[in-house]
Amino acid sequence: MAINSLHFIKSITVEPAIFLYTAVYVIMQQTFMNLLLQKKCRFNSTLEPNLDTNCDDEKNGVLFVTEVNSLTRLVMFLFCGVFGILAMSWSDIAGRRRRPLFLLPLIGLIFQALTGCLHSFYWHWAPLSAAWTTTLFEMISGSLVLITLVSQTYLCDVTDLETRTMRMGFLTASRTLGDLIGYGSAGYILHGVGFFYTFVLCFVLSLLTLVLGLIFVKDVSINVDKKLHVLQFFNLTRVVDSFRVVFNKNLANKRIIVSILCAIFALVYFTMQGEYSILYLFLRLKFHWKERDYSLYIVYRQIGIVVGSLFCSIVLSKILKMHDGLIGVFAGVWDTIAVIGYLLATQEWHIYLVPLFDIFHGTVLSVSISFFSKFYKDDEFGHLNSVLAVFGLAMPACFPAYNAIFQRTVDVFPSAYFLLSIVLDIGIVILYWATYKLSTKMIQPKSPTIKEEMTTNTLMYCTKDTLARA
């Protein structure tokens, strides 16, 4: 028993830092959103307000936050997406230099917390400066995008094929738990100690996150003979090579399925992030929710998503051996029903009923990844991740789209932005059905390029990227 415990401790790498980073990141994002809202909705306020008192103009604050988010999140995710792809390419060229790239977002988190402290202490500072300052630190540090790419790649470097899926599962569990802790505690911490001390707590926890990264994430780099120069960081040829691998001629007519799956991947990310960017503001404006109400609700919703993901991976995939395309159709239909529930909700209890239909929210994304993996060898997964990251760059377009609809309909029908999700979800269901029909018509001979056992394994760690981190 002692030997097994020691072996488990030695096998720990990125998981503790990822868990704490995710929790702190979520707390900070929620606190910054409320900081902008409170600064804008209270007239002539020079001191941190009492959150138990009502805003002078709640609608003005909500619309301001949606407008700022649509621009800052768009810029941040686009920049971090490109930066992440280039950084990972440079990391490969430089001999697997993962550790500096892993530590960079942790340092950026520290500076974000300091920014929050300053803008809370000097309450009269303009809210727009707070938004762009924290966005700047996210951009230059790579933020959530970079640390996700690096952590996944690092685990591929330090694990063998037999343990890699299990370790990826641990990584996703760390993210999911961090999300739950972050969303579940953000509102209560803010109400308990206020803005300034919430950011102080985030600063301390960010330092602890950096310490965990320094302790557990080892240097796995190898020496390279050739000299590196700055221009190699901006080398896009490796991304082009990844597209050649993913859409290689050996796939033949299977390239149609791969192309459809790429479209599904982008659409799912688009809808998930678009809904989350507005959900808190929508619930606050329509049902007069406070920070603590939202924290409790998100925990309740995420627990349901975990249950739904386990159901899909164990019952539908492993026991019933259901085709990936059919699982995608099944999950997509339930997602559509859930979004219709949000659209038609008029009472608070309606909102608490919706997550019962939203339990497969993460499955539609993980199924596409599982389906993808069946067409590639193990040593081609890195190329696959690079291509998916490029398609993920379409995600930031959701912020101005969803925010624009919300701003223009807030007075007449604030739920209208869910109509966009309904249209996109129906499109996802149709595309999944197309992949099912196409794949069943094709003769798939046994070959080393087709993976037979990836569906169950990949679905087991599907829940993290449901938050996309916000």
Side-chain angles (χ1 to χ4, degrees):
M1 181 66 72
I3 296 177
N4 291 335
S5 299
L6 182 62
H7 178 73
F8 176 76
I9 293 173
K10 288 183 177 179
S11 68
I12 295 174
T13 54
V14 298
E15 293 87 359
I18 287 294
F19 160 71
L20 200 53
Y21 176 90
T22 305
V24 176
Y25 182 86
V26 170
I27 292 172
M28 199 131 47
Q29 290 299 311
Q30 290 297 113
T31 308
F32 263 113
M33 185 184 297
N34 282 289
L35 178 78
L36 300 181
L37 192 150
Q38 293 293 332
K39 281 197 173 192
K40 193 66 178 180
C41 75
R42 297 178 186 272
F43 302 139
N44 303 320
S45 177
T46 57
L47 297 174
E48 183 177 321
N50 181 358
L51 295 178
D52 290 324
T53 61
N54 294 326
C55 282
D56 299 323
D57 189 347
E58 180 87 8
K59 178 183 171 183
N60 184 45
V62 167
L63 291 178
F64 174 75
V65 174
T66 58
E67 184 177 350
V68 170
N69 277 347
S70 65
L71 183 58
T72 57
R73 297 289 92 185
L74 172 66
V75 173
M76 190 277 289
F77 272 107
L78 279 174
F79 185 90
C80 289
V82 175
F83 177 71
I85 294 171
L86 294 175
M88 294 310 298
S89 174
W90 170 85
S91 177
D92 288 339
I93 298 173
R96 301 189 312 188
R97 298 189 65 180
R98 319 296 189 200
R99 195 168 187 252
L101 297 181
F102 185 87
L103 298 177
L104 183 59
L106 307 185
I107 296 172
L109 197 67
I110 295 173
F111 283 97
Q112 285 179 255
L114 287 175
T115 298
C117 290
L118 290 173
H119 281 273
S120 301
F121 188 80
Y122 298 101
W123 190 261
H124 62 281
W125 286 6
L128 200 57
S129 65
W132 280 110
T133 304
T134 186
T135 300
L136 176 64
F137 283 122
E138 286 193 77
M139 290 168 59
I140 61 179
S141 67
S143 189
L144 197 63
V145 177
L146 180 60
I147 201 169
T148 299
L149 291 173
V150 176
S151 59
Q152 291 173 345
T153 307
Y154 180 86
L155 282 183
C156 290
D157 292 333
V158 300
T159 58
D160 52 32
L161 294 178
E162 288 73 22
T163 61
R164 187 171 301 162
T165 297
M166 180 186 67
R167 293 297 302 277
M168 286 292 186
F170 288 157
L171 176 62
T172 300
S174 301
R175 294 170 181 164
T176 303
L177 186 59
D179 276 327
L180 288 174
I181 296 296
Y183 279 109
S185 62
Y188 290 92
I189 295 173
L190 181 57
H191 264 268
V193 299
F195 285 101
F196 179 76
Y197 287 106
T198 298
F199 284 118
V200 169
L201 175 63
C202 289
F203 173 74
V204 174
L205 293 177
S206 299
L207 290 176
L208 179 58
T209 306
L210 180 60
V211 172
L212 291 174
L214 291 170
I215 293 174
F216 289 108
V217 181
K218 308 301 182 182
D219 184 12
V220 295
S221 62
I222 57 177
N223 293 326
V224 291
D225 296 331
K226 58 183 179 180
K227 292 184 179 181
L228 301 175
H229 51 81
V230 177
L231 291 179
Q232 285 181 303
F233 185 90
F234 301 96
N235 185 5
L236 292 175
T237 57
R238 292 179 66 86
V239 179
V240 176
D241 290 340
S242 295
F243 270 88
R244 289 173 180 167
V245 171
V246 173
F247 295 96
N248 66 80
K249 295 181 179 179
N250 292 333
L251 286 174
N253 51 3
K254 296 186 183 71
R255 279 189 290 183
I256 299 175
I257 297 179
V258 170
S259 301
I260 295 175
L261 289 173
C262 287
I264 291 174
F265 184 85
L267 287 177
V268 171
Y269 255 125
F270 189 97
T271 56
M272 287 168 57
Q273 291 298 318
E275 290 173 18
Y276 268 104
S277 69
I278 299 293
L279 186 59
Y280 170 66
L281 301 172
F282 162 72
L283 294 173
R284 185 180 178 101
L285 192 63
K286 185 167 183 176
F287 297 104
H288 310 292
W289 279 19
K290 299 298 183 182
E291 296 81 3
R292 288 173 291 192
D293 301 318
Y294 185 71
S295 291
L296 180 63
Y297 178 74
I298 287 297
V299 171
Y300 162 66
R301 185 188 186 195
Q302 287 305 115
I303 290 174
I305 291 175
V306 171
V307 172
S309 298
L310 292 175
F311 174 81
C312 284
S313 63
I314 296 174
V315 177
L316 299 186
S317 179
K318 185 173 184 179
I319 298 177
L320 299 180
K321 308 295 183 182
M322 187 178 289
H323 190 279
D324 287 334
L326 285 182
I327 296 176
V329 171
F330 174 81
V333 169
W334 279 83
D335 267 6
T336 306
I337 294 173
V339 176
I340 293 174
Y342 280 121
L343 178 72
L344 301 179
T346 57
Q347 302 293 328
E348 193 169 344
W349 68 268
H350 295 165
I351 294 297
Y352 277 96
L353 184 64
V354 171
L356 298 179
F357 300 91
D358 202 25
I359 60 176
F360 304 113
H361 196 79
T363 304
V364 286
L365 180 63
S366 62
V367 166
S368 64
I369 300 174
S370 173
F371 210 160
F372 263 124
S373 66
K374 291 189 173 184
F375 299 103
Y376 303 98
K377 301 176 183 178
D378 291 328
D379 58 1
E380 294 175 334
F381 289 159
H383 295 289
L384 177 60
N385 285 330
S386 296
V387 170
L388 292 180
V390 172
F391 277 92
L393 289 177
M395 179 186 67
C398 69
F399 294 109
Y402 275 85
N403 283 277
I405 295 174
F406 183 71
Q407 288 174 344
R408 285 164 175 74
T409 61
V410 67
D411 291 323
V412 291
F413 190 28
S415 309
Y417 73 95
F418 287 112
L419 289 170
L420 177 57
S421 290
I422 292 173
V423 173
L424 295 178
D425 282 338
I426 292 174
I428 291 169
V429 171
I430 294 173
L431 290 175
Y432 264 126
W433 179 254
T435 61
Y436 168 69
K437 298 299 291 185
L438 288 171
S439 62
T440 52
K441 288 180 180 179
M442 293 177 182
I443 300 175
Q444 300 184 17
K446 297 289 183 180
S447 78
T449 63
I450 299 178
K451 304 295 290 178
E452 295 289 336
E453 301 174 355
M454 291 299 296
T455 304
T456 300
N457 294 331
T458 307
L459 286 171
M460 289 296 292
Y461 53 87
C462 64
T463 52
K464 158 57 194 131
D465 288 327
T466 40
L467 295 181
R469 296 224 156 49

